[in-house]
Structure formats: structure tokens, C-alpha cells
Amino acid sequence: MADRFAVAPMLIPIAVSYRASLTTASGAASLYYLAYGLMPPVYGVLSDRFGRVRVIRLALVGTALADLFSALAPSLSLLLIARFITGAIACGVFPTTLVYLGDRFPFAARQQAVAKVLVWIALGTAAGTIAGGLIAHLLTWRAFFLIPGAIAVAAAIGLRGVPESLTARSTENPIRQIASVLSHGSALVLLGLAVLDGAVMFGFVTYLAPALEAGGSSPAIAGAVVAGYGLSVLICTRAFGAVARHAPAALLLAGGASTLTAGYLIAATGQTVATILAASVLAGAAYAFMQSTFQTWATDVVPEARGTATSLFATAIFAGAALATAGAAGLASSHDYRALFLVAALITLAVLVGGSVGRWRYRGSETVGDVPPERPIG
């Protein structure tokens, strides 16, 4: 998470260091998201065949090497290649973690488990945005990539004692495995929503920090302000645990989408510290409520091919993020952030309506009765 979110406050410093336009430098974000969206089906098939923990550990080591490549890139072209490679490898970590949770927890209790993981997502997001902007301002943006690389190595070592969750390894042809997921109507609905969700939850959010920097704020200040996103996820995740026990999932999704819509509308009124901070905080709340609901839904929609289904969900999410980041680059380059955030708000409204209705109609693959006690992880 630190590796993924730090790039936002570093986009302008990267553009300046290579004497390139913001449109070109934004490829460091959009190419990462594109690769992150293309590769999950590969990891889904591999995790269904060889195990979740093994795939996560190998992806962590690969991410560390790719981050080192990013830190040493002598040209913008090589940096863009490095970020594309990083996204292609890093996507083996979090989506596979969701699959692991799907294996270990029944559907009725799974969203609580996902919410606990969101605490660490929040910490990584906040640390990445703060440290990315601060290090880019005080030292150089290159130094930052060494930090998540070191964390990835440490995490890979720490996972040695985590038990595997896969009990029946898949032997089905990978193409047939993907086709079996796409044959489910509910899966297609979810994947379509995931493209829009990725655009508003990850794509347009990338431009909150550049919008503030365009007004004269330093990368350090922009990173600290946008870090409100991660802190909001952390706080709202704590509240989510209590609310989710009493509120239906469709309502949780609707609440998250509503706060994100409000955040984009506030950001569209003017790109000041106050408005961008408010938008960041509301986006963090949306992640805790809306995104966790989508993620839990993805782990259940095709339980017999959970790894593949969850990976296709991640593909759709980051395809949407890449499209939004690339599509909005022109507006960002011309500093038309008002139009950028208004477009984001309109798309979020579509997620609000479609996601809420879709989740309300989805009943789950398991019979939902009393929530059983959680099984310990590790």
C-alpha cells in the first residue's frame, strides 16, 4: 500500500527531475495500475494450483527488486517500465491475501476479517503518502522506493510460518477456469461495477495531491494532506466493525459511495488545503465501507474458483484505475481540476446506484445464519 499510494505526491517532483510534463510523468501511476490490472488472473490461477502463501511470498520478493529498479532508473522511460513491472508483480500480494481470507473465513464473518486487514492498508496508505511527499521534498523521490522494498523483503521472511489455506489444488485448464468464472451472471455484474469502482476509488484519487501542488503547495504538504485518506481508513475501519454487525452490506456500500461523491464535489469547488483534506478524508471513509464490501463480495461470487474470481475482480478494479488516471491526465495537465473532480463525482453516482442494487440482490453462496467464531490466522 505504501508503494502504491506514494506516487501521487511524487508525480510533480518526478516530472521536474526528468524535465517532463505532468501528463507524461503520470504514466508512473497509470502504468502501475494497468499492470496491476492485467496480471491478477495469472496469480489467481497460480494460487489455485500452488497455494496462496507461496504466491504472496514470491510476489513480495519480486516487488522489492522492482522497487530497487525504480529507485535507480536513469530516465523517465526506464522509470515507467520499472513502475509497470512493479505493478505487475505487486498485484500478487493483496488480491491473493483476500483469497486467503476467503479460504479461512465463512462469508457471514468474512467482511469483519477484511476490515481488520484494512487497518494495515490504512497504515501503509498514510505512511506512503506522508513519506513519499516528505522524502521527495527533503531528499529525492528515488529514496522512497527503497522503503517499501525493504518492507516487502521483511514481510516475505515473516510469512514463513503462516499455514497454507488451499486444501484442494485446481488442475483445470486456466482458460477454462477463467471462462467458468465469466459464465456466472453475478460475476459479470460485479466485474462491470469493479471497473467503475476502480476509476473512482483509485484513478481519480491520484490527482488529489497534484491538484494541491498545482496551487503552490509543496510535495511535503500535499502528501501530508492526502495522508488524511489513510488516517480516515484507519478510523473508519474501527467504526466499520461495529456498524457492519447491524447494517446490511448494500447499505454499507451505499454509504461509502455517498461519501466519495461528496468528497469529489467538495474538491471540485476549489483545490485548497481544506477542500483536498476533506475530499481525502471522505475517500478514506469510502474505502473502509464501499471498497471492503466489494472485496468481500468478490471472494464469494464464484467460490469454487475463488482465486481466479478474486483476481479477475482485481483486474477490473485496476483497469478502471488505469483508464481514469490516463483519461484525466489532460485535465490535470491543464489544471482543470474542477472538471476532473466533477467527472469523478458523476461516475461515483453510477457506482452508488449500480453497486447498492447489485449487492442488495446478491444473497451469497452460503446459507447465512449465526456468525461462527473467527478462525485464527497463523
Side-chain angles (χ1 to χ4, degrees):
M1 293 304 112
D3 179 80
R4 181 195 300 174
F5 284 95
V7 73
M10 296 196 299
L11 284 178
I12 289 180
I14 287 172
V16 171
S17 68
Y18 287 120
R19 297 181 181 178
S21 67
L22 178 60
T23 301
T24 304
S26 68
S30 59
L31 287 174
Y32 181 101
Y33 292 148
L34 176 62
Y36 204 108
L38 289 174
M39 289 298 290
V42 175
Y43 293 106
V45 171
L46 290 176
S47 73
D48 280 341
R49 287 172 178 263
F50 302 109
R52 323 304 192 192
V53 178
R54 182 180 298 178
V55 167
I56 293 171
R57 293 186 69 201
L58 289 174
L60 285 167
V61 173
T63 299
L65 294 174
D67 275 333
L68 180 61
F69 182 17
S70 299
L72 299 177
S75 67
L76 180 57
S77 296
L78 288 177
L79 175 65
L80 297 183
I81 293 173
R83 298 316 293 162
F84 183 85
I85 293 173
T86 307
I89 299 174
C91 67
V93 179
F94 182 55
T96 311
T97 300
L98 290 177
V99 177
Y100 186 89
L101 294 178
D103 293 339
R104 299 296 296 270
F105 292 89
F107 188 54
R110 196 172 302 153
Q111 191 149 358
Q112 296 290 335
V114 171
K116 292 184 178 181
V117 174
L118 291 185
V119 172
W120 297 95
I121 287 179
L123 292 173
T125 301
T129 49
I130 292 173
L134 190 62
I135 291 174
H137 180 65
L138 298 178
L139 299 173
T140 169
W141 57 265
R142 296 178 183 276
F144 172 80
F145 290 119
L146 300 177
I147 299 173
I151 295 173
V153 171
I157 295 172
L159 284 171
R160 287 180 301 174
V162 174
E164 187 53 73
S165 65
L166 184 63
T167 56
R169 300 180 187 278
S170 172
T171 58
E172 189 176 0
N173 180 284
I175 302 299
R176 290 181 180 176
Q177 200 163 325
I178 292 173
S180 69
V181 174
L182 298 179
S183 67
H184 288 70
S186 55
L188 292 177
V189 170
L190 177 59
L191 293 176
L193 289 168
V195 173
L196 299 179
D197 175 49
V200 298
M201 197 71 259
F202 299 111
F204 292 107
V205 166
T206 302
Y207 290 105
L208 288 175
L212 197 54
E213 292 176 64
S217 298
S218 70
I221 293 175
V225 170
V226 177
Y229 175 98
L231 296 176
S232 177
V233 174
L234 182 60
I235 295 170
C236 291
T237 296
R238 311 301 291 182
F240 174 86
V243 175
R245 293 187 180 94
H246 307 287
L251 184 59
L252 297 174
L253 194 155
S258 297
T259 61
L260 185 58
T261 302
Y264 280 131
L265 291 175
I266 290 172
T269 63
Q271 293 74 56
T272 66
V273 169
T275 58
I276 297 300
L277 176 59
S280 299
V281 169
L282 291 171
Y287 191 99
F289 284 84
M290 178 179 75
Q291 192 64 22
S292 68
T293 304
F294 272 122
Q295 289 165 345
T296 304
W297 187 1
T299 64
D300 186 72
V301 68
V302 188
E304 66 273 18
R306 182 172 286 123
T308 302
T310 306
S311 67
L312 288 173
F313 170 78
T315 293
I317 285 284
F318 285 95
L323 289 172
T325 306
L331 290 174
S333 185
S334 61
H335 293 182
D336 192 359
Y337 288 103
R338 181 177 184 275
L340 189 155
F341 292 129
L342 284 176
V343 170
L346 288 174
I347 298 175
T348 309
L349 280 175
V351 177
L352 169 60
V353 176
S356 301
V357 173
R359 185 60 186 87
W360 176 72
R361 296 181 63 183
Y362 182 75
R363 294 292 177 252
S365 66
E366 304 168 5
T367 301
V368 179
D370 293 335
V371 178
E374 296 179 359
R375 284 171 276 177
I377 296 179

